[in-house]
Amino acid sequence: MCADKESYTIVYFLDYGKNFGGAANTLLQQALLMKRAKHKVILFFSDYFGSEMNSEYKEICTNLFIDYEWATYSLITQPGDIDVVCIDKYYEELRDRIASYHPDVLHSVQINPCVELISRELKIPHIMNVYPLLPEFFYIDYMNIFPHYHLCDSWYYARQWQHYLHTYSSCVRTVVNIRNRKKRTLTGRTLNFICVGAVYEDKNQLSVIKAFHKALLGGMQAKLTLCGYIDGNYGKECFRYIKENDLQSEIIMKGFCLNMCKEYSQNDILICGSRRESYPNAVSEAMANGLVIISTPVGGVPEIIEDGRNGYLARGYLEDALLEKIMQVQKDIENGKIEQILKKTEETFLQFHSPQAVTNQLLQYYKYILEDYKKKIIADTNEKMVSIKDFRNVFVPLMKKLQENKMRFTDPEKVAQKLWYLYHITDIVNEANKSGKEFFVWGTGKYGKSVKEMLEFFLPQLHISGFIDTKKSGKFYEYKIFSLNEIMVKKNVIIFIAAINGQSEMIEKLESADKRFNRDYFICKNLVIVLFRMHRKVELVFKNTLEVAING
C-alpha cells in the first residue's frame, strides 16, 4: 500500500446488475476515469437479485471494453437494512476474490458492510459513495461496520455523513464526458425547456409543470419536455394536470430516454425542481451540453450555482419560485445578459465537472486516504474496529435461533433480513416497555402477520396492544384492530409499520402527529421512500447546528 505509486489497483463494487441509477452511474464514471488514467480497475456487480444485466450497464461496458465480474453482496442506502445472513454466507468467498487482486483501494457505491469488514481484515482502505441521509437513522446506536472513508457529490451531505457517522468525507463532483460542447445563442424565438429525472414527489415535476404553465399564460413562447421513468400516482397526477389544462402541445412527458445527449441538444434550458437530492446529475449534464440552468436550492446545488452569475437559483421549491426564474431567463435573453451567464456556466463546468477536473479530485482523495490509512497502521492507533468475528458473535446465535424455529414463521427469509434492525432497536423497545408504552402494528396483511410473528418470538416481553388499519375493523388473529384516529389521541404509543404499499402515506401521517422515526415508530419492512416533508423538518435543524457540532 503506497500513496506515491504511479499506478493504483482499485476494485469497484457497483450496484445490483439489473439496477442503474445516478449513484451507480457516478461510481462507474469514476472507475472509467481511473482506467483512462492508466490505473488497474476491477469491476464487480452484485447478483444479490440475480445476474440479469441492465441494458445501460451492458452498453457502457461493451462500448468501453470494460470487463466485470459477479459477486454476492448487499447494498444499503441507510443503516437499518443490513442483511446479516448475506454477510455471513458470502464473506470468505468475496474476501478471497478481493485478496487475489492485491488492491490498493476498495471503492463501493452506497453502504457495503461486507466489503468494509473484508477491508479491515485485509488492511485495505475502503471508500463508500453515498448521498442523502436522515438524522433519524442515527437515533439508533448501530454496531460500527460502516466505512470510515466517504465520497459525496456535495459538501452539504459530505458534512452530514461526517457528523453522524464520523467518516473522513470529501466532495468529488459528478463527471460528464462530452466531445463537442455546443455553443448556444438564445434569442426571442420559442424556447425549449427540459426537466430530467424519474417522475416522483422528490423530483417535484408537478411544480415545474405548474410554473411553466403560468409562464405560458404570461405570454412566453416555449415548450417543456420531461424525460424520466414515469410510475405511480404522482406521474398520473402530472399527466392529469397537463390534460385538464390542454397543454399536450406545449408539455411532453417522454418517459425514459436512452439518448440524453440528443435530448439536451434539442433544448435550451434545464429546469431542476428537486426537493431532496445531493447534487442532481441533470445539472452537470445540462452544463456539459451548454444549457442554461434553473434549479431549486436542493442539496449541494448552491455550492456551484450562483444566482444570476452562472445560472438561476430559485428561492424555494414551489411553483412561484420556479416561475420567477423562468421569467428572469426570458428577461436576460432580451437584455443580452444571458451570453455572460452561459460563458460563466462553461467555466463552471470545466472547473468542477470536466473529466480532467474530476480525475484530479479523485486521485487527490485516493492519495489522501492511502497516506492516512498507512499512518494509522504504522502508529497502531486505530480505534477498536468490529471484525467479522465480532459480527458473527452477535448475529450467528440469532440466525441459528431463527433457523431452528423457522416453521413458526410465515416468511422466515423476510424475518432474517430484519435481524440487524431488530437487534439494534431492542434496547429502545425495552426502555419503552418499562415506561409503560403501548405497542401497535400498522398493517393487517401478510406483512402484518410476519411482523407479529417476529415481535412475538424475538421480543416476547413486549405485549402487542393491537393492530392499526384505516379500512378494516374487528380483529386480526387474537388482536383488536384500531382506527388511526383511536391511536393518534394516545400519547404513549410505539408503532411498528408493517407495509410497503402506502408506506409513505403512513409516514406522513405519523410525522404530522409529531411521531419520530426510530423513536416513536419503527419501519419493519424495508424503507421504500423517505418523504421530503419528514426530511425538511430535520434539515432545517441540521443547517443551524452543523457548524457548531463539527467545530465542537
Side-chain angles (χ1 to χ4, degrees):
M1 182 193 308
C2 179
D4 297 321
K5 287 174 63 175
E6 291 185 3
S7 178
Y8 300 140
T9 298
I10 311 164
V11 181
Y12 291 91
F13 298 89
L14 287 143
D15 210 333
Y16 307 117
K18 64 180 183 178
N19 290 359
F20 188 87
N25 183 54
T26 295
L27 187 61
L28 181 56
Q29 294 301 325
Q30 290 173 350
L32 291 176
L33 289 178
M34 290 301 98
K35 182 176 181 181
R36 287 170 178 159
K38 308 302 182 184
H39 298 279
K40 184 177 180 181
V41 167
I42 299 98
L43 296 184
F44 278 96
F45 289 94
S46 174
D47 59 7
Y48 184 82
F49 290 119
S51 56
E52 176 187 351
M53 177 63 78
N54 181 284
S55 59
E56 288 91 338
Y57 277 139
K58 272 186 180 178
E59 183 176 359
I60 291 171
C61 292
T62 300
N63 291 346
L64 298 171
F65 304 102
I66 300 174
D67 294 326
Y68 58 85
E69 300 182 34
W70 292 97
T72 307
Y73 51 85
S74 62
L75 300 163
I76 55 169
T77 56
Q78 58 95 7
D81 284 339
I82 290 175
D83 186 341
V84 297
V85 175
C86 182
I87 294 173
D88 178 64
K89 185 175 181 180
Y90 295 102
Y91 179 88
E92 280 77 15
E93 177 185 335
L94 185 55
R95 179 200 61 197
D96 293 345
R97 291 177 67 184
I98 292 171
S100 69
Y101 287 107
H102 304 288
D104 298 293
V105 177
L106 308 178
H107 196 160
S108 296
V109 67
Q110 312 296 9
I111 302 172
N112 192 329
C114 187
V115 171
E116 173 60 20
L117 289 172
I118 290 168
S119 79
R120 296 176 185 184
E121 181 178 342
L122 298 180
K123 292 184 169 51
I124 304 167
H126 173 218
I127 306 165
M128 64 175 177
N129 280 21
V130 68
Y131 307 107
L133 61 76
L134 281 176
E136 287 99 333
F137 291 162
F138 302 101
Y139 283 168
I140 294 173
D141 185 17
Y142 290 107
M143 178 188 293
N144 185 7
I145 63 170
F146 304 108
H148 286 185
Y149 295 106
H150 167 231
L151 279 183
C152 194
D153 56 8
S154 71
W155 281 111
Y156 175 71
Y157 277 112
R159 290 184 178 121
Q160 289 196 42
W161 283 102
Q162 182 173 310
H163 175 63
Y164 288 106
L165 206 55
H166 309 296
T167 52
Y168 294 88
S169 297
S170 189
C171 173
V172 171
R173 305 295 177 179
T174 52
V175 65
V176 184
N177 287 291
I178 188 163
R179 291 181 180 176
N180 299 308
R181 193 172 185 275
K182 182 180 178 182
K183 184 174 176 58
R184 294 173 187 273
T185 302
L186 301 185
T187 63
R189 63 176 170 76
T190 298
L191 295 173
N192 294 308
F193 291 75
I194 187 170
C195 181
V196 178
V199 180
Y200 66 101
E201 285 179 286
D202 281 355
K203 291 288 189 181
N204 198 30
Q205 283 93 344
L206 189 56
S207 290
V208 172
I209 291 168
K210 289 179 178 180
F212 186 78
H213 183 201
K214 287 184 177 181
L216 294 175
L217 293 174
M220 177 178 277
Q221 299 295 312
K223 289 189 176 183
L224 171 65
T225 301
L226 292 97
C227 299
Y229 290 107
I230 305 168
D231 193 20
N233 293 329
Y234 188 78
K236 292 177 183 177
E237 192 176 354
C238 292
F239 270 122
R240 184 164 55 249
Y241 183 91
I242 293 168
K243 185 176 180 181
E244 287 176 354
N245 291 280
D246 196 24
L247 296 169
Q248 295 94 326
S249 298
E250 292 84 10
I251 303 178
I252 301 168
M253 295 184 71
K254 280 195 171 183
F256 174 74
C257 300
L258 184 60
N259 188 351
M260 281 307 301
C261 286
K262 179 181 177 181
E263 299 299 330
Y264 285 123
S265 70
Q266 295 173 348
N267 289 280
D268 308 302
I269 301 154
L270 172 81
I271 307 182
C272 174
S274 288
R275 295 177 174 184
R276 179 176 180 266
E277 202 161 352
S278 178
Y279 187 88
N281 279 333
V283 170
S284 53
E285 291 169 356
M287 273 190 199
N289 285 277
L291 275 69
V292 176
I293 309 297
I294 299 174
S295 179
T296 57
V298 65
V301 170
E303 299 164 7
I304 299 293
I305 300 297
E306 298 178 47
D307 186 41
R309 179 179 174 274
N310 58 356
Y312 298 84
L313 197 64
R315 53 187 164 80
Y317 302 89
L318 301 179
E319 59 199 79
D320 286 345
L322 290 166
L323 173 64
E324 181 183 7
K325 295 306 167 185
I326 293 172
M327 303 312 295
Q328 185 64 48
V329 170
Q330 185 178 45
K331 180 180 177 181
D332 286 346
I333 291 172
E334 292 170 356
N335 63 27
K337 185 182 176 182
I338 199 70
E339 290 186 18
Q340 186 62 28
I341 289 175
L342 283 170
K343 182 179 178 181
K344 291 296 183 183
T345 303
E346 181 177 10
E347 293 174 5
T348 302
F349 167 74
L350 293 173
Q351 181 182 355
F352 293 105
H353 299 296
S354 65
Q356 187 58 55
V358 177
T359 298
N360 292 339
Q361 294 170 27
L362 197 55
L363 283 172
Q364 284 173 8
Y365 190 66
Y366 285 155
K367 183 176 180 180
Y368 163 76
I369 66 163
L370 285 164
E371 290 174 345
D372 182 73
Y373 199 77
K374 184 178 179 181
K375 288 175 185 176
K376 284 180 168 55
I377 292 174
I378 292 173
D380 195 26
T381 57
N382 276 335
E383 67 260 41
K384 175 67 172 82
M385 302 284 278
V386 174
S387 67
I388 186 64
K389 181 180 179 181
D390 301 325
F391 173 84
R392 282 172 168 158
N393 284 342
V394 172
F395 289 103
V396 167
L398 289 175
M399 290 186 281
K400 184 177 179 182
K401 184 177 180 181
L402 175 61
Q403 181 63 27
E404 290 173 347
N405 294 274
K406 66 178 182 180
M407 298 305 295
R408 300 178 57 159
F409 297 94
T410 303
D411 193 342
E413 290 186 5
K414 294 296 184 187
V415 175
Q417 291 173 1
K418 298 308 293 184
L419 287 178
W420 168 268
Y421 190 59
L422 187 67
Y423 170 79
H424 284 98
I425 68 173
T426 294
D427 286 344
I428 300 172
V429 171
N430 284 339
E431 285 300 315
N433 196 31
K434 289 177 184 176
S435 65
K437 292 194 176 183
E438 295 183 85
F439 298 90
F440 295 88
V441 178
W442 192 346
T444 56
K446 62 179 182 179
Y447 293 130
K449 182 182 179 183
S450 179
V451 171
K452 175 186 87 73
E453 294 167 346
M454 181 175 70
L455 295 176
E456 288 174 337
F457 182 73
F458 285 101
L459 295 172
Q461 70 278 20
L462 179 154
H463 171 70
I464 299 174
S465 297
F467 280 73
I468 304 170
D469 198 290
T470 56
K471 296 179 181 178
K472 298 178 184 177
S473 59
K475 286 197 170 186
F476 185 70
Y477 293 91
E478 69 271 28
Y479 298 101
K480 181 180 176 181
I481 299 175
F482 293 84
S483 70
L484 184 60
N485 290 336
E486 289 178 287
I487 302 303
M488 285 306 179
V489 297
K490 298 174 178 282
K491 291 185 177 179
N492 294 318
V493 298
I494 297 287
I495 295 171
F496 298 96
I497 292 180
I500 291 180
N501 294 331
Q503 188 185 101
S504 61
E505 289 81 3
M506 293 176 171
I507 294 172
E508 184 174 22
K509 288 174 181 177
L510 292 171
E511 290 289 319
S512 298
D514 291 324
K515 304 295 183 186
R516 296 177 300 165
F517 176 43
N518 282 338
R519 277 291 183 267
D520 303 310
Y521 70 94
F522 299 92
I523 300 175
C524 293
K525 301 313 296 177
N526 285 1
L527 184 62
V528 175
I529 186 170
V530 177
L531 292 182
F532 168 67
R533 183 182 179 282
M534 175 183 177
H535 175 74
R536 180 176 56 190
K537 182 174 67 176
V538 297
E539 183 182 66
L540 293 175
V541 176
F542 182 84
K543 281 183 174 178
N544 292 330
T545 61
L546 176 62
E547 293 305 322
V548 174
I550 288 175
N551 294 327

